[in-house]
Amino acid sequence: MEEWKLKTESPEETMQLAEKLAEIVQPGDVITLEGDLGAGKTSFTKGFAKGLGVKRVVNSPTFTIIKEYKGRIPLYHMDVYRMEDEMEDLGLEEYFYGEGVSVIEWPSMIPNQLPEDCLAISLFHLGETSREITVQTSGVRSLELLKELRYE
Ligand code: ADP
Ligand code: MG
């Protein structure tokens, strides 16, 4: 497992990092986003969608748990915050092993439904416009992604 910590000083900077990541992801990649409300998970996803060439506006999927967007490859945006029962089987595998890339907000709500190898990103509120971002790997593929993201 490898870890990379960095700081961003504006929402744009966070979105740029996400955009860079979006340029290197492939079908089947899974990115998880942790952090308190307002930390920047959805902002990150917006930048990520931009990097995938998604034209539609990305919002937090409030009433649906999963929203799908068309881009270079499909984006599956999941916000599992409102999951009532963590044991409820959402059938997420279909997405994880599908044609697109999955971005999951609040992965801690569904610890047993996550694939082993994901790129785990946490955002921590340091100040009004500064955030500490931690990127963690948990397998061969996420390590590959981190290396590309970091040295690009
Ligand atoms: P979450 O989805 O984690 O609840 P949002 O992305 O919806 O968070 O909201 C984050 C808010 O913080 C946005 O209003 C964004 O403009 C602001 N913000 C300020 N600085 C940053 C930064 N460095 N990175 C990300 N967002 C930031
Ligand atoms: Mg959000």
Side-chain angles (χ1 to χ4, degrees), residues 54-69:
V54 172
K55 297 283 185 300
R56 270 166 64 205
V57 176
V58 173
N59 291 311
S60 261
T62 308
F63 298 108
T64 46
I65 284 171
I66 303 167
K67 269 198 201 166
E68 188 171 338
Y69 297 89

Side-chain angles (χ1 to χ4, degrees), residues 126-137:
L126 290 177
E128 183 113 15
T129 58
S130 57
R131 301 289 186 272
E132 182 180 72
I133 300 181
T134 307
V135 186
Q136 274 182 324
T137 69

Side-chain angles (χ1 to χ4, degrees), residues 4-148:
W4 180 37
K5 272 189 200 294
L6 67 152
K7 238 195 238 179
T8 65
E9 302 291 350
S10 68
E12 291 74 28
E13 213 182 310
T14 297
M15 289 175 67
Q16 272 162 23
L17 176 74
E19 214 176 313
K20 256 170 73 173
L21 177 61
E23 282 158 17
I24 58 180
V25 292
Q26 287 169 11
D29 285 338
V30 179
I31 317 291
T32 63
L33 294 175
E34 281 182 274
D36 293 336
L37 277 173
K41 302 181 294 298
T42 300
S43 304
F44 187 97
T45 309
K46 285 176 196 275
F48 190 82
K50 188 176 169 218
L52 281 178
V54 172
K55 297 283 185 300
R56 270 166 64 205
V57 176
V58 173
N59 291 311
S60 261
T62 308
F63 298 108
T64 46
I65 284 171
I66 303 167
K67 269 198 201 166
E68 188 171 338
Y69 297 89
K70 282 202 182 77
R72 171 176 67 80
I73 57 175
L75 166 62
Y76 310 128
H77 182 204
M78 308 170 188
D79 188 334
V80 295
Y81 183 62
R82 280 166 195 80
M83 282 279 305
E84 312 238 301
D85 173 9
E86 71 170 85
M87 297 312 286
E88 187 186 336
D89 187 359
L90 296 172
L92 299 177
E93 280 85 8
E94 205 183 306
Y95 292 93
F96 297 156
Y97 303 107
E99 301 291 298
V101 54
S102 303
V103 172
I104 312 170
E105 296 192 36
W106 297 101
S108 55
M109 303 290 286
I110 51 159
N112 303 319
Q113 296 186 53
L114 295 172
E116 244 171 69
D117 192 358
C118 354
L119 193 70
I121 298 179
S122 4
L123 299 110
F124 181 77
H125 197 291
L126 290 177
E128 183 113 15
T129 58
S130 57
R131 301 289 186 272
E132 182 180 72
I133 300 181
T134 307
V135 186
Q136 274 182 324
T137 69
S138 55
V140 174
R141 176 57 187 157
S142 50
L143 181 60
E144 214 170 71
L145 281 173
L146 175 60
K147 283 185 173 161
E148 264 188 82

